Amino acid sequence: MLHLAVERFDYWTELSGRHLDLTDPDVVRVNAIDLRHAQRIRAGYGPDVTVLLDVEVVIDTDGSRARRRFAELVRRPGVSYAGTPAGLAGLIADIHAAGVADGVTLLPKDEQSMEHIAQHTVPWLESRYIAS
């Protein structure tokens, strides 16, 4: 199963209930420029290391509105997603299925995105047994 976490205001918490410890040397967070880069980073670690990919997100029920909000924000280089809750869930499922990373740390850029993650994205992943 996928590890799913969120970081907001420098507070990191795991949503998948697996109790990862970020101080453990066998748990690594990475910021990659794209998914192919993330996959190469993951391949550089052994199977005993849990690699979490950071993904900046802006979520809205209207994907166009999410992309407009995202375009107005200051962001860091790296993997990002602006769109709907279901679209984010699909991206996370693809990251898991393709072995790009062992999990993701979502970095919601606003409170509305955080609410959509909790109310829509996480339940979608749980209903498909991708996250628990």
Tab-separated table of all heavy atoms in Angstrom, residues 2-7 11-20 88 92 104-106 108 114 117-119 121-123 125-126 131-132:
chain	number	residue	atom	x	y	z
A	2	LEU	N	0.295	2.276	-0.495
A	2	LEU	CA	0.926	3.574	-0.622
A	2	LEU	C	0.966	4.301	0.719
A	2	LEU	O	0.022	4.230	1.496
A	2	LEU	CB	0.097	4.390	-1.618
A	2	LEU	CG	0.439	5.842	-1.791
A	2	LEU	CD1	1.524	5.957	-2.849
A	2	LEU	CD2	-0.784	6.598	-2.228
A	3	HIS	N	2.053	5.021	0.962
A	3	HIS	CA	2.130	5.932	2.102
A	3	HIS	C	1.613	7.281	1.636
A	3	HIS	O	2.013	7.766	0.578
A	3	HIS	CB	3.573	6.087	2.587
A	3	HIS	CG	4.126	4.849	3.186
A	3	HIS	ND1	3.885	4.490	4.495
A	3	HIS	CD2	4.900	3.876	2.666
A	3	HIS	CE1	4.505	3.347	4.748
A	3	HIS	NE2	5.125	2.955	3.653
A	4	LEU	N	0.731	7.875	2.411
A	4	LEU	CA	0.150	9.164	2.050
A	4	LEU	C	0.283	10.099	3.233
A	4	LEU	O	-0.132	9.770	4.349
A	4	LEU	CB	-1.329	8.982	1.674
A	4	LEU	CG	-2.079	10.213	1.216
A	4	LEU	CD1	-1.454	10.794	-0.051
A	4	LEU	CD2	-3.546	9.872	0.982
A	5	ALA	N	0.892	11.258	2.982
A	5	ALA	CA	1.101	12.237	4.045
A	5	ALA	C	0.761	13.619	3.510
A	5	ALA	O	0.626	13.828	2.305
A	5	ALA	CB	2.547	12.191	4.528
A	6	VAL	N	0.640	14.549	4.440
A	6	VAL	CA	0.385	15.938	4.068
A	6	VAL	C	1.247	16.828	4.951
A	6	VAL	O	1.501	16.495	6.115
A	6	VAL	CB	-1.119	16.290	4.187
A	6	VAL	CG1	-1.596	16.245	5.612
A	6	VAL	CG2	-1.419	17.616	3.539
A	7	GLU	N	1.723	17.919	4.365
A	7	GLU	CA	2.447	18.915	5.147
A	7	GLU	C	1.801	20.266	4.905
A	7	GLU	O	1.607	20.674	3.758
A	7	GLU	CB	3.920	18.985	4.745
A	7	GLU	CG	4.687	20.004	5.573
A	7	GLU	CD	6.150	20.059	5.221
A	7	GLU	OE1	6.896	19.198	5.706
A	7	GLU	OE2	6.522	20.959	4.446
A	11	TYR	N	3.983	21.442	9.301
A	11	TYR	CA	3.546	20.311	10.127
A	11	TYR	C	3.266	19.136	9.199
A	11	TYR	O	2.386	19.198	8.353
A	11	TYR	CB	2.294	20.670	10.946
A	11	TYR	CG	1.822	19.542	11.802
A	11	TYR	CD1	2.489	19.222	12.978
A	11	TYR	CD2	0.720	18.792	11.437
A	11	TYR	CE1	2.067	18.162	13.762
A	11	TYR	CE2	0.289	17.737	12.208
A	11	TYR	CZ	0.965	17.423	13.372
A	11	TYR	OH	0.541	16.381	14.139
A	12	TRP	N	4.025	18.049	9.367
A	12	TRP	CA	3.911	16.858	8.533
A	12	TRP	C	3.123	15.798	9.294
A	12	TRP	O	3.394	15.545	10.474
A	12	TRP	CB	5.303	16.328	8.201
A	12	TRP	CG	5.323	15.151	7.282
A	12	TRP	CD1	5.401	15.191	5.925
A	12	TRP	CD2	5.295	13.764	7.636
A	12	TRP	NE1	5.419	13.922	5.398
A	12	TRP	CE2	5.347	13.020	6.440
A	12	TRP	CE3	5.214	13.069	8.835
A	12	TRP	CZ2	5.337	11.633	6.410
A	12	TRP	CZ3	5.201	11.699	8.805
A	12	TRP	CH2	5.263	10.990	7.606
A	13	THR	N	2.153	15.204	8.639
A	13	THR	CA	1.412	14.106	9.256
A	13	THR	C	1.080	13.052	8.215
A	13	THR	O	0.783	13.380	7.065
A	13	THR	CB	0.119	14.608	9.941
A	13	THR	OG1	-0.471	13.530	10.664
A	13	THR	CG2	-0.879	15.137	8.951
A	14	GLU	N	1.171	11.813	8.623
A	14	GLU	CA	0.847	10.719	7.709
A	14	GLU	C	-0.644	10.430	7.777
A	14	GLU	O	-1.215	10.277	8.851
A	14	GLU	CB	1.642	9.467	8.060
A	14	GLU	CG	1.461	8.391	7.014
A	14	GLU	CD	2.347	7.190	7.230
A	14	GLU	OE1	2.947	7.071	8.304
A	14	GLU	OE2	2.408	6.369	6.311
A	15	LEU	N	-1.274	10.375	6.608
A	15	LEU	CA	-2.705	10.109	6.533
A	15	LEU	C	-3.010	8.628	6.387
A	15	LEU	O	-4.131	8.201	6.617
A	15	LEU	CB	-3.316	10.865	5.343
A	15	LEU	CG	-3.144	12.375	5.342
A	15	LEU	CD1	-3.706	12.971	4.057
A	15	LEU	CD2	-3.799	12.990	6.559
A	16	SER	N	-2.014	7.852	5.981
A	16	SER	CA	-2.262	6.438	5.723
A	16	SER	C	-2.132	5.578	6.974
A	16	SER	O	-2.301	4.371	6.898
A	16	SER	CB	-1.321	5.926	4.623
A	16	SER	OG	0.026	6.190	4.945
A	17	GLY	N	-1.855	6.186	8.108
A	17	GLY	CA	-1.855	5.454	9.367
A	17	GLY	C	-0.731	4.443	9.523
A	17	GLY	O	-0.844	3.493	10.293
A	18	ARG	N	0.361	4.629	8.819
A	18	ARG	CA	1.468	3.677	8.892
A	18	ARG	C	2.533	4.069	9.918
A	18	ARG	O	3.436	3.331	10.173
A	18	ARG	CB	2.136	3.544	7.514
A	18	ARG	CG	1.204	3.097	6.436
A	18	ARG	CD	1.187	1.572	6.378
A	18	ARG	NE	0.367	1.122	5.299
A	18	ARG	CZ	0.732	1.139	4.017
A	18	ARG	NH1	1.902	1.567	3.667
A	18	ARG	NH2	-0.095	0.716	3.104
A	19	HIS	N	2.460	5.268	10.432
A	19	HIS	CA	3.361	5.739	11.479
A	19	HIS	C	4.817	5.784	11.042
A	19	HIS	O	5.692	5.239	11.709
A	19	HIS	CB	3.199	4.910	12.757
A	19	HIS	CG	1.787	4.810	13.200
A	19	HIS	ND1	1.080	5.885	13.677
A	19	HIS	CD2	0.925	3.769	13.188
A	19	HIS	CE1	-0.156	5.503	13.965
A	19	HIS	NE2	-0.278	4.235	13.673
A	20	LEU	N	5.064	6.418	9.914
A	20	LEU	CA	6.439	6.630	9.473
A	20	LEU	C	7.100	7.662	10.366
A	20	LEU	O	6.462	8.583	10.856
A	20	LEU	CB	6.471	7.144	8.034
A	20	LEU	CG	6.166	6.153	6.938
A	20	LEU	CD1	6.215	6.851	5.581
A	20	LEU	CD2	7.154	5.001	6.956
A	88	LEU	N	-6.285	14.308	-8.717
A	88	LEU	CA	-5.154	14.121	-7.807
A	88	LEU	C	-5.082	12.668	-7.353
A	88	LEU	O	-4.002	12.080	-7.315
A	88	LEU	CB	-5.276	15.049	-6.595
A	88	LEU	CG	-4.202	14.852	-5.520
A	88	LEU	CD1	-2.800	15.088	-6.067
A	88	LEU	CD2	-4.488	15.746	-4.319
A	92	ILE	N	-1.894	10.125	-7.824
A	92	ILE	CA	-1.296	9.381	-6.713
A	92	ILE	C	-1.322	7.877	-7.001
A	92	ILE	O	-0.343	7.173	-6.773
A	92	ILE	CB	-2.020	9.711	-5.389
A	92	ILE	CG1	-1.775	11.175	-5.011
A	92	ILE	CG2	-1.564	8.774	-4.268
A	92	ILE	CD1	-2.685	11.687	-3.900
A	104	VAL	N	3.545	9.621	-1.175
A	104	VAL	CA	3.624	11.042	-1.480
A	104	VAL	C	3.376	11.858	-0.223
A	104	VAL	O	2.648	11.438	0.680
A	104	VAL	CB	2.610	11.464	-2.568
A	104	VAL	CG1	2.907	10.795	-3.893
A	104	VAL	CG2	1.187	11.188	-2.149
A	105	THR	N	4.027	13.014	-0.185
A	105	THR	CA	3.695	14.037	0.791
A	105	THR	C	3.045	15.158	0.005
A	105	THR	O	3.685	15.779	-0.851
A	105	THR	CB	4.935	14.567	1.535
A	105	THR	OG1	5.516	13.504	2.293
A	105	THR	CG2	4.557	15.699	2.484
A	106	LEU	N	1.766	15.365	0.245
A	106	LEU	CA	1.032	16.421	-0.430
A	106	LEU	C	1.307	17.740	0.275
A	106	LEU	O	1.291	17.811	1.507
A	106	LEU	CB	-0.464	16.123	-0.425
A	106	LEU	CG	-0.867	14.824	-1.117
A	106	LEU	CD1	-2.354	14.559	-0.932
A	106	LEU	CD2	-0.506	14.864	-2.599
A	108	PRO	N	-0.466	21.030	0.177
A	108	PRO	CA	-1.569	21.880	-0.274
A	108	PRO	C	-1.201	23.348	-0.097
A	108	PRO	O	-0.690	23.745	0.943
A	108	PRO	CB	-2.735	21.471	0.610
A	108	PRO	CG	-2.141	20.782	1.777
A	108	PRO	CD	-0.806	20.256	1.361
A	114	MET	N	-6.691	21.608	1.091
A	114	MET	CA	-6.602	20.666	2.214
A	114	MET	C	-7.957	20.004	2.459
A	114	MET	O	-8.030	18.792	2.674
A	114	MET	CB	-6.131	21.422	3.462
A	114	MET	CG	-5.859	20.558	4.646
A	114	MET	SD	-4.487	19.441	4.329
A	114	MET	CE	-5.032	18.064	5.297
A	117	ILE	N	-8.669	17.411	-0.239
A	117	ILE	CA	-7.859	16.201	-0.027
A	117	ILE	C	-8.540	15.314	1.011
A	117	ILE	O	-8.731	14.113	0.788
A	117	ILE	CB	-6.427	16.570	0.419
A	117	ILE	CG1	-5.659	17.212	-0.739
A	117	ILE	CG2	-5.688	15.339	0.944
A	117	ILE	CD1	-4.372	17.899	-0.321
A	118	ALA	N	-8.918	15.913	2.137
A	118	ALA	CA	-9.515	15.142	3.230
A	118	ALA	C	-10.890	14.592	2.868
A	118	ALA	O	-11.219	13.446	3.203
A	118	ALA	CB	-9.611	16.014	4.484
A	119	GLN	N	-11.701	15.379	2.175
A	119	GLN	CA	-13.083	14.985	1.921
A	119	GLN	C	-13.272	14.150	0.655
A	119	GLN	O	-14.259	13.414	0.553
A	119	GLN	CB	-13.969	16.231	1.843
A	119	GLN	CG	-14.055	16.965	3.149
A	119	GLN	CD	-14.809	18.291	3.029
A	119	GLN	OE1	-15.367	18.606	1.986
A	119	GLN	NE2	-14.814	19.061	4.094
A	121	THR	N	-10.209	13.209	-1.993
A	121	THR	CA	-9.083	12.456	-2.532
A	121	THR	C	-8.773	11.230	-1.676
A	121	THR	O	-8.645	10.118	-2.205
A	121	THR	CB	-7.832	13.348	-2.663
A	121	THR	OG1	-8.158	14.471	-3.502
A	121	THR	CG2	-6.670	12.584	-3.270
A	122	VAL	N	-8.647	11.417	-0.371
A	122	VAL	CA	-8.326	10.287	0.511
A	122	VAL	C	-9.412	9.215	0.446
A	122	VAL	O	-9.099	8.026	0.275
A	122	VAL	CB	-8.048	10.756	1.956
A	122	VAL	CG1	-7.926	9.574	2.901
A	122	VAL	CG2	-6.780	11.606	2.001
A	123	PRO	N	-10.706	9.559	0.552
A	123	PRO	CA	-11.734	8.512	0.434
A	123	PRO	C	-11.685	7.765	-0.907
A	123	PRO	O	-11.908	6.557	-0.950
A	123	PRO	CB	-13.051	9.276	0.596
A	123	PRO	CG	-12.692	10.465	1.424
A	123	PRO	CD	-11.310	10.846	0.959
A	125	LEU	N	-9.007	7.134	-2.726
A	125	LEU	CA	-7.885	6.194	-2.635
A	125	LEU	C	-8.224	5.019	-1.713
A	125	LEU	O	-7.888	3.875	-2.015
A	125	LEU	CB	-6.628	6.915	-2.138
A	125	LEU	CG	-6.031	7.940	-3.109
A	125	LEU	CD1	-5.017	8.818	-2.399
A	125	LEU	CD2	-5.425	7.246	-4.315
A	126	GLU	N	-8.875	5.301	-0.596
A	126	GLU	CA	-9.253	4.229	0.338
A	126	GLU	C	-10.252	3.266	-0.308
A	126	GLU	O	-10.173	2.048	-0.099
A	126	GLU	CB	-9.842	4.819	1.618
A	126	GLU	CG	-8.810	5.513	2.466
A	126	GLU	CD	-9.402	6.229	3.678
A	126	GLU	OE1	-10.620	6.553	3.652
A	126	GLU	OE2	-8.656	6.465	4.622
A	131	ALA	N	-4.760	3.397	-0.416
A	131	ALA	CA	-4.338	3.964	0.860
A	131	ALA	C	-5.332	3.529	1.921
A	131	ALA	O	-6.469	3.207	1.620
A	131	ALA	CB	-4.263	5.488	0.788
A	132	SER	N	-4.871	3.498	3.157
A	132	SER	CA	-5.790	3.129	4.238
A	132	SER	C	-5.687	4.098	5.381
A	132	SER	O	-4.774	4.855	5.490
A	132	SER	CB	-5.475	1.719	4.741
A	132	SER	OG	-4.166	1.667	5.236
